[in-house]
Amino acid sequence: MKLPVLWNKRQIPDIHVVPDWYVILGGINASNYDVTYSSKDFFVVKTPAVKSHNNRFIVIGDIWLSNRSHLLQFLHLNQKYTDKEIVAHLWEKEGEECLKLLEGMFSLCVWDNLERHLYLVRDGVGCRTLYYTNSGKVCVIAPRLATLLPWGSQQLDLVALRDYLCCGFVPGEQTLWQNVRELFVGMVLQIESSGEEINYINEKLFWEAREDIQNVEKSLIWHGKQLRKLLDEVVQEYLPVEQPVGVYLSGGLDSSCITALAAKFHNHPVHTYSIHFGENCPNELEFSGLVAQHCKTQHHILEITPNEMWDKLPRVMSYLDDPIGDPLTVPNYLLGKIARQHAGVILNGEGGDPCFGGPKNQPMLLNQLYGGVNNTEENMVTNYVNSFKKCSSYLPQLLKQDVFTKIKQKDFVFADYLYRNESYLNRLMTINIKFKGADHILTKVNNMTVANELQGRSPLFDRRIVEMAMQIPPQYKLAGAQEKAVLKQAVLDILPREIIERPKSGMMVPVQYWFKNIFQRRAKSLLLNKNAEIAPLLNQELIKQWLNYRGDAWQRYGVKLWLLVSLEIWLQVQKDKKA
């Protein structure tokens, strides 16, 4: 039977990539580009270049410094200096060491006119992104992956594809395109052009999340007080000056504590935003409403329908760099559209789970303690990948045989982190911060807020908060059924008891119900088409079984199907952009 055509490629929107600047190192004909600054083989395109006092250093990038007031005092500069100018003058004064002074969100390029070296830099937790591709003679660098489409490889990276199917995002320096790389978090990459080739001179981390357990003899109350003091400082820095602020409020501990701190310190309106998926679907509005009332915020509730979820997915995939198979991408985008009506800055509670031991780490911890023969070193990576509950256990059947053969022996990028000489919980947290945080959570936050001309800020992912989290003894983060004990202790006095004591449930998007009752015909038209972008890569017969819910004893195919639909649409969007 011929499937109805329920997917129209004309639905793919023509979206202008923001920010659209890029930098070229190597010999080009500058007249072909909108060059704003050049110096022999170095070219800046579509963005102003900022110079240091002595004109030696040129800075380009996306920079927001939370500690700009402190840095202005350090440099004896007045308030008129921009964050880029601060970095340019700091680099002139301190060189690479100045990166240890920067707090905030940034991805930047620094050109040294004297040594003729280019430095690529990404902040320590990955709030901003930076991509680069090297053709041998020319290296092109940009904050958005789509900008590099005319320059990079047109071939899919099959290892990155495997990782997406396993994790729901592409972790580490790889992207879905061969020879296009993402700068790793906390990294400085130094490169030069010899005229004939691009040389990578030096690559090093200027900061990374590492276990540094301190004050083990101190009580939970003591550690909670230290954390609260830092939270107060960070949240105040993250609040906009003389403007309203928005907060995404789910009703969970993390978003609730950010809401309470914002309401405590901000002298302008605080708007909060919650979502639900209809009266027949479970929601957390009872808890988000309780927090909004307690904190006296201006609360906004958005109902999202399944048709909105499906119809907006092409637009959302256009705004992402690599695909993210998280059903919350569309709600994040739709919430941003509402939030932009009231504020230019939106805070969120992202970071609470990876930094303070959320419950998603519990299955891995239990397996470590009680897994026995199944917890050998060879299986540790497999157990971690399976904890995402995506497609990892189905890879031999899901991937075409030739594709699976090419990737089955390839290591995962986070494997080494699982074998570090650290407490097991902190190893898991480090991976979650470095990979899921940087390549899923923060990338999604940044792209979906920028798409709505908002600035998204994640206080719980601040570098100083992460450092303190890695200093707190593990038993105060996740112990048995008690998760995030130290964070709960830190905000005990500013939240209702019901929020502190409730177990975490998470925002459940009802994709299982939708695929079975609403999306099925549309998804079949998209995923089972012989001309689908995934057709040469994935076994459509297995996908057909999932779409018909055959053998689904645990009712978990919905998440996998959303992952595949997101991938197919992302690939179609990329093909359309190339054309």
Side-chain angles (χ1 to χ4, degrees), residues 219-237 253 256-265 294-295 356 459-460 464-465 468-469 472 485-496 500:
S219 67
L220 173 64
I221 293 175
W222 185 88
H223 282 283
K225 287 181 178 178
Q226 304 308 305
L227 176 57
R228 174 59 178 278
K229 182 180 178 182
L230 182 57
L231 282 170
D232 286 353
E233 176 186 345
V234 168
V235 170
Q236 287 183 79
E237 288 182 3
L253 175 67
S256 296
C257 80
I258 297 302
T259 298
L261 290 169
K264 178 179 180 179
F265 292 117
H294 180 81
C295 299
F356 296 103
L460 294 180
R464 294 159 293 181
I465 299 288
M468 180 170 284
I472 295 170
V486 68
L487 183 58
K488 292 176 179 178
Q489 180 65 42
V491 296
L492 199 60
D493 62 317
I494 56 173
L495 286 176
I500 298 292

Side-chain angles (χ1 to χ4, degrees), residues 17-28:
V17 176
V18 178
D20 63 350
W21 62 265
Y22 55 102
V23 166
I24 302 172
L25 184 63
I28 62 167

